[in-house]
Amino acid sequence: MTTEFDVLKKSRELVLKTIQNLTLDQLHTIPEGFKNNIIWNFTHLLVTQQLLHYKLSGLQCLIPDDLIDKYRKGTFPSEEMSEEEFEEVKELFIGLPDTLQEDYEAGIFKLYNEYQTSTGFVLTSIKDAIAFNNLHEGLHLGVIMSLAKLV
């Protein structure tokens, strides 16, 4: 499983590199033809990872419930984040992949509630969820890269 955790960390590094020189206004901009912005995609990655790995394993998510409510699948940008709020989200974005790996290696993921993703994949274990999440992160990395060119 080491490779899967390395892929997640590398994907997150690429997201951070893509947005490092953008202003908060640029992160909130929704270009014509898009329905969300970079901040939504960024925070959505954090939320989805927590839901796929922790919630579906019957465990408590490691992020605030209000983030889950605002950035889960099916939501759209509804309000702007302050610089301070974005920095807090960024810290979680950077740190939680290590926490996931530590928790996985500690064996806390004992149960998993089967889940069919919107792309049709059926996840039946934490291993499935980790693999699928990497695909999901890659898809949103591509969206973030596209948005970054337009803002």
Side-chain angles (χ1 to χ4, degrees):
M1 288 293 293
T2 302
T3 300
E4 288 83 351
F5 295 116
D6 289 346
V7 168
L8 175 58
K9 291 171 192 175
K10 179 50 99 176
S11 175
R12 297 234 170 148
E13 286 174 22
L14 292 170
V15 167
L16 290 166
K17 183 178 178 183
T18 301
I19 68 169
Q20 70 185 352
N21 295 319
L22 299 178
T23 67
L24 199 57
D25 283 340
Q26 288 173 308
L27 296 173
H28 284 108
T29 299
I30 303 174
E32 189 174 329
F34 286 82
K35 59 184 177 183
N36 51 44
N37 55 31
I38 292 171
I39 269 197
W40 184 90
N41 279 275
F42 184 88
T43 311
H44 173 73
L45 289 175
L46 179 67
V47 166
T48 299
Q49 182 267 316
Q50 288 291 296
L51 293 174
L52 289 176
H53 299 149
Y54 289 86
K55 184 168 178 104
L56 289 171
S57 294
L59 301 169
Q60 184 70 38
C61 290
L62 307 176
I63 60 174
D65 289 340
D66 68 315
L67 281 182
I68 294 171
D69 294 340
K70 293 176 189 173
Y71 297 96
R72 70 182 321 142
K73 179 176 73 173
T75 63
F76 300 95
S78 58
E79 57 189 56
E80 292 197 356
M81 228 182 247
S82 70
E83 188 73 46
E84 182 180 299
E85 290 169 322
F86 184 60
E87 288 303 317
E88 290 172 10
V89 169
K90 210 183 322 183
E91 284 182 31
L92 291 167
F93 188 83
I94 294 166
L96 286 177
D98 288 329
T99 304
L100 172 65
Q101 184 171 3
E102 291 165 8
D103 287 346
Y104 180 84
E105 290 170 355
I108 73 163
F109 299 101
K110 301 199 182 307
L111 304 171
Y112 197 82
N113 295 301
E114 186 174 298
Y115 176 73
Q116 183 171 353
T117 71
S118 56
T119 57
F121 287 101
V122 177
L123 309 178
T124 61
S125 69
I126 187 62
K127 286 182 180 182
D128 291 351
I130 290 169
F132 177 79
N133 186 67
N134 283 343
L135 168 67
H136 181 260
E137 298 246 349
L139 292 170
H140 283 275
L141 168 60
V143 171
I144 289 169
M145 292 171 89
S146 295
L147 288 167
K149 289 179 181 179
L150 297 172
V151 299

